[in-house]
PDB file of all heavy atoms in Angstrom:
ATOM      1  N   SER B1247      18.556   3.055  14.325  1.00  0.00           N
ATOM      2  CA  SER B1247      19.579   2.449  13.455  1.00  0.00           C
ATOM      3  C   SER B1247      19.051   2.395  12.031  1.00  0.00           C
ATOM      4  O   SER B1247      18.248   3.244  11.622  1.00  0.00           O
ATOM      5  CB  SER B1247      19.931   1.055  13.974  1.00  0.00           C
ATOM      6  OG  SER B1247      18.764   0.233  14.066  1.00  0.00           O
ATOM      7  N   ALA B1248      19.483   1.404  11.238  1.00  0.00           N
ATOM      8  CA  ALA B1248      19.036   1.264   9.844  1.00  0.00           C
ATOM      9  C   ALA B1248      17.530   1.222   9.775  1.00  0.00           C
ATOM     10  O   ALA B1248      16.875   0.501  10.545  1.00  0.00           O
ATOM     11  CB  ALA B1248      19.662   0.050   9.216  1.00  0.00           C
ATOM     12  N   THR B1249      16.960   1.953   8.844  1.00  0.00           N
ATOM     13  CA  THR B1249      15.509   2.071   8.699  1.00  0.00           C
ATOM     14  C   THR B1249      15.127   1.840   7.235  1.00  0.00           C
ATOM     15  O   THR B1249      15.682   2.425   6.331  1.00  0.00           O
ATOM     16  CB  THR B1249      15.029   3.442   9.148  1.00  0.00           C
ATOM     17  OG1 THR B1249      15.422   3.669  10.494  1.00  0.00           O
ATOM     18  CG2 THR B1249      13.516   3.567   9.067  1.00  0.00           C
ATOM     19  N   GLU B1269      13.851   9.662   9.312  1.00  0.00           N
ATOM     20  CA  GLU B1269      15.284   9.622   9.570  1.00  0.00           C
ATOM     21  C   GLU B1269      15.742   8.268  10.121  1.00  0.00           C
ATOM     22  O   GLU B1269      15.072   7.696  10.936  1.00  0.00           O
ATOM     23  CB  GLU B1269      15.629  10.763  10.552  1.00  0.00           C
ATOM     24  CG  GLU B1269      17.086  10.808  10.940  1.00  0.00           C
ATOM     25  CD  GLU B1269      17.349  11.877  11.990  1.00  0.00           C
ATOM     26  OE1 GLU B1269      16.387  12.337  12.621  1.00  0.00           O
ATOM     27  OE2 GLU B1269      18.516  12.215  12.221  1.00  0.00           O
ATOM     28  N   ALA B1270      16.917   7.876   9.694  1.00  0.00           N
ATOM     29  CA  ALA B1270      17.684   6.785  10.329  1.00  0.00           C
ATOM     30  C   ALA B1270      18.858   7.447  11.040  1.00  0.00           C
ATOM     31  O   ALA B1270      19.739   7.989  10.379  1.00  0.00           O
ATOM     32  CB  ALA B1270      18.183   5.803   9.297  1.00  0.00           C
ATOM     33  N   GLN B1271      18.814   7.484  12.359  1.00  0.00           N
ATOM     34  CA  GLN B1271      19.793   8.278  13.133  1.00  0.00           C
ATOM     35  C   GLN B1271      21.190   7.757  13.012  1.00  0.00           C
ATOM     36  O   GLN B1271      22.174   8.551  12.915  1.00  0.00           O
ATOM     37  CB  GLN B1271      19.348   8.315  14.613  1.00  0.00           C
ATOM     38  CG  GLN B1271      18.113   9.191  14.842  1.00  0.00           C
ATOM     39  CD  GLN B1271      17.811   9.308  16.319  1.00  0.00           C
ATOM     40  OE1 GLN B1271      17.611   8.303  16.990  1.00  0.00           O
ATOM     41  NE2 GLN B1271      17.764  10.502  16.829  1.00  0.00           N
ATOM     42  N   THR B1272      21.429   6.447  13.045  1.00  0.00           N
ATOM     43  CA  THR B1272      22.779   5.923  13.016  1.00  0.00           C
ATOM     44  C   THR B1272      22.846   4.721  12.048  1.00  0.00           C
ATOM     45  O   THR B1272      23.419   3.697  12.345  1.00  0.00           O
ATOM     46  CB  THR B1272      23.233   5.447  14.393  1.00  0.00           C
ATOM     47  OG1 THR B1272      22.270   4.471  14.886  1.00  0.00           O
ATOM     48  CG2 THR B1272      23.311   6.595  15.362  1.00  0.00           C
ATOM     49  N   GLY B1273      22.261   4.881  10.892  1.00  0.00           N
ATOM     50  CA  GLY B1273      22.271   3.805   9.884  1.00  0.00           C
ATOM     51  C   GLY B1273      21.737   4.253   8.575  1.00  0.00           C
ATOM     52  O   GLY B1273      21.536   5.444   8.319  1.00  0.00           O
ATOM     53  N   VAL B1274      21.534   3.282   7.704  1.00  0.00           N
ATOM     54  CA  VAL B1274      21.079   3.580   6.350  1.00  0.00           C
ATOM     55  C   VAL B1274      19.562   3.804   6.326  1.00  0.00           C
ATOM     56  O   VAL B1274      18.800   3.043   6.920  1.00  0.00           O
ATOM     57  CB  VAL B1274      21.414   2.368   5.415  1.00  0.00           C
ATOM     58  CG1 VAL B1274      20.963   2.682   3.983  1.00  0.00           C
ATOM     59  CG2 VAL B1274      22.936   2.117   5.440  1.00  0.00           C
ATOM     60  N   LEU B1275      19.124   4.810   5.598  1.00  0.00           N
ATOM     61  CA  LEU B1275      17.716   4.979   5.295  1.00  0.00           C
ATOM     62  C   LEU B1275      17.495   4.399   3.913  1.00  0.00           C
ATOM     63  O   LEU B1275      18.048   4.898   2.911  1.00  0.00           O
ATOM     64  CB  LEU B1275      17.325   6.471   5.345  1.00  0.00           C
ATOM     65  CG  LEU B1275      15.867   6.737   4.899  1.00  0.00           C
ATOM     66  CD1 LEU B1275      14.886   6.104   5.901  1.00  0.00           C
ATOM     67  CD2 LEU B1275      15.605   8.256   4.828  1.00  0.00           C
ATOM     68  N   ASP B1276      16.715   3.323   3.840  1.00  0.00           N
ATOM     69  CA  ASP B1276      16.512   2.619   2.600  1.00  0.00           C
ATOM     70  C   ASP B1276      15.005   2.707   2.199  1.00  0.00           C
ATOM     71  O   ASP B1276      14.133   2.213   2.943  1.00  0.00           O
ATOM     72  CB  ASP B1276      16.869   1.118   2.781  1.00  0.00           C
ATOM     73  CG  ASP B1276      16.786   0.340   1.509  1.00  0.00           C
ATOM     74  OD1 ASP B1276      16.575   0.939   0.434  1.00  0.00           O
ATOM     75  OD2 ASP B1276      16.887  -0.896   1.543  1.00  0.00           O
ATOM     76  N   ILE B1277      14.737   3.324   1.091  1.00  0.00           N
ATOM     77  CA  ILE B1277      13.382   3.528   0.585  1.00  0.00           C
ATOM     78  C   ILE B1277      13.236   2.825  -0.761  1.00  0.00           C
ATOM     79  O   ILE B1277      13.947   3.116  -1.707  1.00  0.00           O
ATOM     80  CB  ILE B1277      13.024   5.001   0.461  1.00  0.00           C
ATOM     81  CG1 ILE B1277      13.103   5.701   1.795  1.00  0.00           C
ATOM     82  CG2 ILE B1277      11.676   5.208  -0.195  1.00  0.00           C
ATOM     83  CD1 ILE B1277      12.947   7.195   1.762  1.00  0.00           C
ATOM     84  N   LEU B1290      14.241  13.705   4.425  1.00  0.00           N
ATOM     85  CA  LEU B1290      14.570  12.276   4.438  1.00  0.00           C
ATOM     86  C   LEU B1290      16.063  12.187   4.655  1.00  0.00           C
ATOM     87  O   LEU B1290      16.848  12.704   3.828  1.00  0.00           O
ATOM     88  CB  LEU B1290      14.184  11.624   3.097  1.00  0.00           C
ATOM     89  CG  LEU B1290      12.726  11.192   2.878  1.00  0.00           C
ATOM     90  CD1 LEU B1290      11.759  12.341   3.058  1.00  0.00           C
ATOM     91  CD2 LEU B1290      12.556  10.548   1.517  1.00  0.00           C
ATOM     92  N   GLN B1291      16.494  11.509   5.733  1.00  0.00           N
ATOM     93  CA  GLN B1291      17.910  11.567   6.121  1.00  0.00           C
ATOM     94  C   GLN B1291      18.390  10.240   6.693  1.00  0.00           C
ATOM     95  O   GLN B1291      17.701   9.573   7.469  1.00  0.00           O
ATOM     96  CB  GLN B1291      18.133  12.671   7.161  1.00  0.00           C
ATOM     97  CG  GLN B1291      19.537  12.794   7.657  1.00  0.00           C
ATOM     98  CD  GLN B1291      19.678  13.990   8.593  1.00  0.00           C
ATOM     99  OE1 GLN B1291      19.604  15.134   8.130  1.00  0.00           O
ATOM    100  NE2 GLN B1291      19.867  13.748   9.863  1.00  0.00           N
ATOM    101  N   GLY B1292      19.589   9.833   6.295  1.00  0.00           N
ATOM    102  CA  GLY B1292      20.247   8.699   6.860  1.00  0.00           C
ATOM    103  C   GLY B1292      21.689   9.083   7.278  1.00  0.00           C
ATOM    104  O   GLY B1292      22.244  10.067   6.788  1.00  0.00           O
ATOM    105  N   ASP B1293      22.278   8.291   8.164  1.00  0.00           N
ATOM    106  CA  ASP B1293      23.621   8.649   8.657  1.00  0.00           C
ATOM    107  C   ASP B1293      24.417   7.365   8.789  1.00  0.00           C
ATOM    108  O   ASP B1293      24.236   6.542   9.674  1.00  0.00           O
ATOM    109  CB  ASP B1293      23.489   9.321  10.036  1.00  0.00           C
ATOM    110  CG  ASP B1293      24.834   9.900  10.489  1.00  0.00           C
ATOM    111  OD1 ASP B1293      25.873   9.533   9.947  1.00  0.00           O
ATOM    112  OD2 ASP B1293      24.821  10.793  11.401  1.00  0.00           O
ATOM    113  N   SER B1294      25.356   7.161   7.824  1.00  0.00           N
ATOM    114  CA  SER B1294      26.191   5.982   7.837  1.00  0.00           C
ATOM    115  C   SER B1294      27.464   6.327   7.063  1.00  0.00           C
ATOM    116  O   SER B1294      27.448   7.070   6.095  1.00  0.00           O
ATOM    117  CB  SER B1294      25.480   4.797   7.189  1.00  0.00           C
ATOM    118  OG  SER B1294      26.356   3.694   7.048  1.00  0.00           O
ATOM    119  N   SER B1295      28.593   5.753   7.500  1.00  0.00           N
ATOM    120  CA  SER B1295      29.881   6.062   6.867  1.00  0.00           C
ATOM    121  C   SER B1295      29.995   5.418   5.488  1.00  0.00           C
ATOM    122  O   SER B1295      30.824   5.851   4.688  1.00  0.00           O
ATOM    123  CB  SER B1295      31.030   5.523   7.773  1.00  0.00           C
ATOM    124  OG  SER B1295      30.892   4.157   7.956  1.00  0.00           O
ATOM    125  N   GLY B1296      29.185   4.383   5.178  1.00  0.00           N
ATOM    126  CA  GLY B1296      29.175   3.838   3.855  1.00  0.00           C
ATOM    127  C   GLY B1296      28.205   4.501   2.969  1.00  0.00           C
ATOM    128  O   GLY B1296      28.321   5.627   2.558  1.00  0.00           O
ATOM    129  N   THR B1297      27.101   3.805   2.704  1.00  0.00           N
ATOM    130  CA  THR B1297      25.938   4.397   2.021  1.00  0.00           C
ATOM    131  C   THR B1297      24.910   4.818   3.082  1.00  0.00           C
ATOM    132  O   THR B1297      24.487   3.963   3.859  1.00  0.00           O
ATOM    133  CB  THR B1297      25.290   3.409   1.053  1.00  0.00           C
ATOM    134  OG1 THR B1297      26.247   3.042   0.047  1.00  0.00           O
ATOM    135  CG2 THR B1297      24.071   3.991   0.384  1.00  0.00           C
ATOM    136  N   ALA B1298      24.570   6.102   3.105  1.00  0.00           N
ATOM    137  CA  ALA B1298      23.717   6.617   4.105  1.00  0.00           C
ATOM    138  C   ALA B1298      22.215   6.616   3.698  1.00  0.00           C
ATOM    139  O   ALA B1298      21.342   6.434   4.499  1.00  0.00           O
ATOM    140  CB  ALA B1298      24.121   8.012   4.523  1.00  0.00           C
ATOM    141  N   VAL B1299      21.936   6.823   2.392  1.00  0.00           N
ATOM    142  CA  VAL B1299      20.587   6.849   1.916  1.00  0.00           C
ATOM    143  C   VAL B1299      20.525   6.161   0.534  1.00  0.00           C
ATOM    144  O   VAL B1299      21.325   6.414  -0.350  1.00  0.00           O
ATOM    145  CB  VAL B1299      20.042   8.295   1.726  1.00  0.00           C
ATOM    146  CG1 VAL B1299      18.671   8.305   1.113  1.00  0.00           C
ATOM    147  CG2 VAL B1299      20.043   9.010   3.087  1.00  0.00           C
ATOM    148  N   THR B1300      19.585   5.229   0.414  1.00  0.00           N
ATOM    149  CA  THR B1300      19.278   4.636  -0.907  1.00  0.00           C
ATOM    150  C   THR B1300      17.801   4.896  -1.228  1.00  0.00           C
ATOM    151  O   THR B1300      16.927   4.632  -0.367  1.00  0.00           O
ATOM    152  CB  THR B1300      19.575   3.134  -0.958  1.00  0.00           C
ATOM    153  OG1 THR B1300      18.749   2.463   0.021  1.00  0.00           O
ATOM    154  CG2 THR B1300      21.024   2.886  -0.627  1.00  0.00           C
ATOM    155  N   VAL B1301      17.521   5.384  -2.376  1.00  0.00           N
ATOM    156  CA  VAL B1301      16.131   5.621  -2.829  1.00  0.00           C
ATOM    157  C   VAL B1301      15.973   4.904  -4.150  1.00  0.00           C
ATOM    158  O   VAL B1301      16.652   5.253  -5.159  1.00  0.00           O
ATOM    159  CB  VAL B1301      15.840   7.137  -2.953  1.00  0.00           C
ATOM    160  CG1 VAL B1301      14.431   7.330  -3.459  1.00  0.00           C
ATOM    161  CG2 VAL B1301      16.039   7.850  -1.633  1.00  0.00           C
ATOM    162  N   VAL B1320      16.573  15.529   0.653  1.00  0.00           N
ATOM    163  CA  VAL B1320      17.076  14.157   0.796  1.00  0.00           C
ATOM    164  C   VAL B1320      18.582  14.301   1.154  1.00  0.00           C
ATOM    165  O   VAL B1320      19.330  14.792   0.307  1.00  0.00           O
ATOM    166  CB  VAL B1320      16.879  13.272  -0.451  1.00  0.00           C
ATOM    167  CG1 VAL B1320      17.417  11.908  -0.236  1.00  0.00           C
ATOM    168  CG2 VAL B1320      15.408  13.243  -0.817  1.00  0.00           C
ATOM    169  N   PHE B1321      18.957  13.894   2.345  1.00  0.00           N
ATOM    170  CA  PHE B1321      20.303  14.192   2.831  1.00  0.00           C
ATOM    171  C   PHE B1321      21.000  12.924   3.329  1.00  0.00           C
ATOM    172  O   PHE B1321      20.491  12.254   4.243  1.00  0.00           O
ATOM    173  CB  PHE B1321      20.224  15.224   3.953  1.00  0.00           C
ATOM    174  CG  PHE B1321      21.551  15.624   4.555  1.00  0.00           C
ATOM    175  CD1 PHE B1321      22.709  15.619   3.788  1.00  0.00           C
ATOM    176  CD2 PHE B1321      21.689  15.962   5.894  1.00  0.00           C
ATOM    177  CE1 PHE B1321      23.951  15.966   4.325  1.00  0.00           C
ATOM    178  CE2 PHE B1321      22.877  16.284   6.450  1.00  0.00           C
ATOM    179  CZ  PHE B1321      24.023  16.307   5.664  1.00  0.00           C
ATOM    180  N   ALA B1322      22.139  12.609   2.737  1.00  0.00           N
ATOM    181  CA  ALA B1322      22.981  11.491   3.235  1.00  0.00           C
ATOM    182  C   ALA B1322      24.062  12.074   4.115  1.00  0.00           C
ATOM    183  O   ALA B1322      25.079  12.575   3.602  1.00  0.00           O
ATOM    184  CB  ALA B1322      23.545  10.754   2.032  1.00  0.00           C
ATOM    185  N   ARG B1323      23.847  12.019   5.390  1.00  0.00           N
ATOM    186  CA  ARG B1323      24.841  12.525   6.335  1.00  0.00           C
ATOM    187  C   ARG B1323      25.999  11.521   6.458  1.00  0.00           C
ATOM    188  O   ARG B1323      25.788  10.356   6.591  1.00  0.00           O
ATOM    189  CB  ARG B1323      24.167  12.768   7.703  1.00  0.00           C
ATOM    190  CG  ARG B1323      25.096  13.395   8.716  1.00  0.00           C
ATOM    191  CD  ARG B1323      24.503  13.346  10.110  1.00  0.00           C
ATOM    192  NE  ARG B1323      23.300  14.135  10.231  1.00  0.00           N
ATOM    193  CZ  ARG B1323      23.269  15.421  10.560  1.00  0.00           C
ATOM    194  NH1 ARG B1323      24.414  16.067  10.805  1.00  0.00           N
ATOM    195  NH2 ARG B1323      22.114  16.104  10.625  1.00  0.00           N
ATOM    196  N   THR B1324      27.164  12.036   6.411  1.00  0.00           N
ATOM    197  CA  THR B1324      28.426  11.264   6.530  1.00  0.00           C
ATOM    198  C   THR B1324      28.710  10.387   5.304  1.00  0.00           C
ATOM    199  O   THR B1324      29.816  10.436   4.721  1.00  0.00           O
ATOM    200  CB  THR B1324      28.440  10.323   7.784  1.00  0.00           C
ATOM    201  OG1 THR B1324      28.087  11.115   8.923  1.00  0.00           O
ATOM    202  CG2 THR B1324      29.812   9.699   7.992  1.00  0.00           C
ATOM    203  N   GLY B1325      27.736   9.632   4.817  1.00  0.00           N
ATOM    204  CA  GLY B1325      27.951   8.681   3.756  1.00  0.00           C
ATOM    205  C   GLY B1325      27.383   9.110   2.397  1.00  0.00           C
ATOM    206  O   GLY B1325      27.055  10.264   2.167  1.00  0.00           O
ATOM    207  N   ALA B1326      27.261   8.103   1.528  1.00  0.00           N
ATOM    208  CA  ALA B1326      26.859   8.367   0.136  1.00  0.00           C
ATOM    209  C   ALA B1326      25.351   8.272  -0.040  1.00  0.00           C
ATOM    210  O   ALA B1326      24.611   7.735   0.787  1.00  0.00           O
ATOM    211  CB  ALA B1326      27.534   7.347  -0.761  1.00  0.00           C
ATOM    212  N   LEU B1327      24.884   8.795  -1.139  1.00  0.00           N
ATOM    213  CA  LEU B1327      23.459   8.763  -1.515  1.00  0.00           C
ATOM    214  C   LEU B1327      23.350   8.090  -2.865  1.00  0.00           C
ATOM    215  O   LEU B1327      24.028   8.476  -3.850  1.00  0.00           O
ATOM    216  CB  LEU B1327      22.880  10.144  -1.581  1.00  0.00           C
ATOM    217  CG  LEU B1327      21.366  10.295  -1.791  1.00  0.00           C
ATOM    218  CD1 LEU B1327      20.872  11.599  -1.198  1.00  0.00           C
ATOM    219  CD2 LEU B1327      20.970  10.241  -3.236  1.00  0.00           C
ATOM    220  N   LYS B1328      22.477   7.083  -2.954  1.00  0.00           N
ATOM    221  CA  LYS B1328      22.220   6.399  -4.225  1.00  0.00           C
ATOM    222  C   LYS B1328      20.769   6.586  -4.602  1.00  0.00           C
ATOM    223  O   LYS B1328      19.862   6.287  -3.826  1.00  0.00           O
ATOM    224  CB  LYS B1328      22.544   4.916  -4.138  1.00  0.00           C
ATOM    225  CG  LYS B1328      22.416   4.189  -5.482  1.00  0.00           C
ATOM    226  CD  LYS B1328      22.861   2.735  -5.385  1.00  0.00           C
ATOM    227  CE  LYS B1328      22.775   2.019  -6.713  1.00  0.00           C
ATOM    228  NZ  LYS B1328      23.195   0.612  -6.651  1.00  0.00           N
ATOM    229  N   LEU B1343      21.397  16.156  -1.205  1.00  0.00           N
ATOM    230  CA  LEU B1343      22.725  16.462  -0.664  1.00  0.00           C
ATOM    231  C   LEU B1343      23.388  15.205  -0.106  1.00  0.00           C
ATOM    232  O   LEU B1343      22.703  14.297   0.400  1.00  0.00           O
ATOM    233  CB  LEU B1343      22.656  17.522   0.474  1.00  0.00           C
ATOM    234  CG  LEU B1343      21.907  18.818   0.109  1.00  0.00           C
ATOM    235  CD1 LEU B1343      21.782  19.684   1.381  1.00  0.00           C
ATOM    236  CD2 LEU B1343      22.652  19.603  -0.974  1.00  0.00           C
ATOM    237  N   SER B1344      24.717  15.194  -0.138  1.00  0.00           N
ATOM    238  CA  SER B1344      25.490  14.148   0.502  1.00  0.00           C
ATOM    239  C   SER B1344      26.801  14.695   1.055  1.00  0.00           C
ATOM    240  O   SER B1344      27.469  15.501   0.375  1.00  0.00           O
ATOM    241  CB  SER B1344      25.784  13.016  -0.498  1.00  0.00           C
ATOM    242  OG  SER B1344      26.699  12.094   0.050  1.00  0.00           O
ATOM    243  N   ASP B1345      27.194  14.254   2.229  1.00  0.00           N
ATOM    244  CA  ASP B1345      28.517  14.564   2.745  1.00  0.00           C
ATOM    245  C   ASP B1345      29.616  13.799   2.070  1.00  0.00           C
ATOM    246  O   ASP B1345      30.772  14.081   2.244  1.00  0.00           O
ATOM    247  CB  ASP B1345      28.551  14.272   4.285  1.00  0.00           C
ATOM    248  CG  ASP B1345      27.877  15.346   5.108  1.00  0.00           C
ATOM    249  OD1 ASP B1345      27.739  16.504   4.595  1.00  0.00           O
ATOM    250  OD2 ASP B1345      27.454  15.067   6.249  1.00  0.00           O
ATOM    251  N   SER B1346      29.227  12.779   1.262  1.00  0.00           N
ATOM    252  CA  SER B1346      30.186  11.952   0.552  1.00  0.00           C
ATOM    253  C   SER B1346      29.919  12.101  -0.928  1.00  0.00           C
ATOM    254  O   SER B1346      30.122  13.159  -1.510  1.00  0.00           O
ATOM    255  CB  SER B1346      30.072  10.494   1.003  1.00  0.00           C
ATOM    256  OG  SER B1346      30.978   9.707   0.305  1.00  0.00           O
ATOM    257  N   ARG B1347      29.406  11.040  -1.591  1.00  0.00           N
ATOM    258  CA  ARG B1347      29.178  11.079  -3.025  1.00  0.00           C
ATOM    259  C   ARG B1347      27.710  10.848  -3.326  1.00  0.00           C
ATOM    260  O   ARG B1347      26.926  10.368  -2.470  1.00  0.00           O
ATOM    261  CB  ARG B1347      30.020  10.016  -3.731  1.00  0.00           C
ATOM    262  CG  ARG B1347      29.645   8.585  -3.416  1.00  0.00           C
ATOM    263  CD  ARG B1347      30.462   7.609  -4.261  1.00  0.00           C
ATOM    264  NE  ARG B1347      30.179   7.750  -5.666  1.00  0.00           N
ATOM    265  CZ  ARG B1347      31.090   7.814  -6.643  1.00  0.00           C
ATOM    266  NH1 ARG B1347      32.352   7.808  -6.351  1.00  0.00           N
ATOM    267  NH2 ARG B1347      30.693   7.908  -7.909  1.00  0.00           N
TER     268      ARG B1347
END
Side-chain angles (χ1 to χ4, degrees):
S1247 57
T1249 303
E1269 178 184 16
Q1271 288 185 303
T1272 58
V1274 181
L1275 176 63
D1276 184 9
I1277 297 174
L1290 278 57
Q1291 178 175 290
D1293 190 343
S1294 175
S1295 59
T1297 298
V1299 176
T1300 62
V1301 177
V1320 179
F1321 179 33
R1323 184 192 294 272
T1324 308
L1327 187 155
K1328 185 175 182 180
L1343 308 174
S1344 171
D1345 281 338
S1346 179
R1347 66 175 295 133

